[in-house]
Amino acid sequence: MNLSEIVNQGKLVSDHFIIELLSKRLEVGESKGELGFILDGFPRTIRQAEILEGVTNIDLVINLKLREEALLAKCLGRRTCSQCGGNYNVACIDIKADNEKPAMYMPPLLPPSHCASKLVTRTDDTEEVIKERLRVYNEKSRPVEEFYRKRGKLLEFDLPGGIPESWTKLLQLLNLDDHEDKRSAAA
C-alpha cells in the first residue's frame, strides 16, 4: 500500500515510514544548504519524538495553542471548493473576554464568488469526530509537550486570533520581527 492509499483510507502512517521520508527530505535540504525546517503535526507520540532525536537535532518546538471552542468552530467551518480544490473557512470566531482569557476574533476565510456555490464539507468534520480527534490528541500528544518541556525546547504560543495577529506576535516572540520579508519565513 502506498502513502496516498494509506492517507486516503484514514489510516495512520507507520513511524518507520514517516521517519524514512523525513530523513531523506532532511538530507536533500542539507545538501541544498537549508539551515532549518518546520514540522507541522509531527511528532505526535513520545516514540516518534525519541526516534526524531536520533535522526536530527531539534532546537525548538513551538506549540501553537488555540482555545478548544475556537478550534472546534474552525474545524466545523472548513470547506473545500469541489471544482478548484481551494480551502476556505466559513466560521467567524468572536469570543468575548472573560476573567481568565482575552477576547478572540478570527474572521472567516471566504471563497471567491465563483467557488461559493461549490463548497463541500469533509465527511469527517462533525462535532463528534472532531471531539474524538481532540481526545486522542490530548491522550497521545500532550506527553510529547512534556517530553520537549523537560528538555527546555518547548515554546508555548497561545494564538491571539487569526493569521495577521498571530504571525506578527509569533515573529516578535522569536525575535524575528525585524525580518525584511516576513512572509518568506512562513513558507
Side-chain angles (χ1 to χ4, degrees):
M1 189 177 294
N2 67 35
L3 181 60
S4 62
E5 289 172 334
I6 293 169
V7 172
N8 289 338
Q9 291 178 12
K11 296 182 179 177
L12 296 176
V13 180
S14 74
D15 292 348
H16 173 76
F17 192 76
I18 291 171
I19 293 293
E20 186 177 314
L21 282 175
L22 179 60
S23 295
K24 287 178 183 176
R25 175 57 183 91
L26 292 175
E27 286 174 19
V28 169
E30 191 175 316
S31 71
K32 292 179 177 179
E34 293 176 359
L35 300 175
F37 56 92
I38 296 173
L39 300 176
D40 180 10
F42 185 84
R44 291 183 187 248
T45 66
I46 294 288
R47 174 163 165 63
Q48 290 175 347
E50 291 169 343
I51 295 169
L52 183 60
E53 283 206 338
V55 171
T56 189
N57 181 41
I58 302 296
D59 297 320
L60 180 66
V61 173
I62 302 172
N63 184 21
L64 301 176
K65 297 171 68 174
L66 184 61
R67 290 160 60 169
E68 193 165 311
E69 61 191 298
L71 182 58
L72 181 61
K74 291 301 277 184
C75 288
L76 290 172
R78 290 192 290 204
R79 301 291 186 273
T80 303
C81 176
S82 60
Q83 186 171 2
C84 73
N87 292 304
Y88 306 100
N89 200 299
V90 299
C92 181
I93 311 297
D94 191 3
I95 301 172
K96 305 300 178 213
D98 62 26
N99 292 338
E100 298 174 19
K101 298 177 181 173
M104 173 183 281
Y105 180 73
M106 299 172 81
L109 303 170
L110 298 174
S113 58
H114 62 275
C115 292
S117 65
K118 300 170 185 81
L119 297 183
V120 294
T121 304
R122 286 175 34 170
T123 56
D124 61 339
D125 272 351
T126 66
E127 188 167 345
E128 181 180 316
V129 170
I130 293 165
K131 285 183 174 181
E132 175 62 12
R133 282 189 212 132
L134 290 172
R135 185 195 67 73
V136 170
Y137 171 83
N138 286 324
E139 179 184 306
K140 301 281 187 189
S141 296
R142 293 268 184 228
V144 176
E145 293 172 23
E146 190 58 32
F147 177 87
Y148 287 111
R149 186 177 290 113
K150 286 179 181 175
R151 286 159 175 74
K153 296 181 178 187
L154 182 67
L155 173 65
E156 306 263 5
F157 182 73
D158 290 305
L159 294 167
I163 294 169
E165 305 86 3
S166 299
W167 184 245
T168 302
K169 290 181 179 178
L170 181 59
L171 288 176
Q172 289 170 350
L173 187 64
L174 296 171
N175 295 315
L176 297 172
D177 54 329
D178 61 349
H179 192 275
E180 287 181 27
D181 181 10
K182 293 179 183 179
R183 288 268 178 217
S184 68

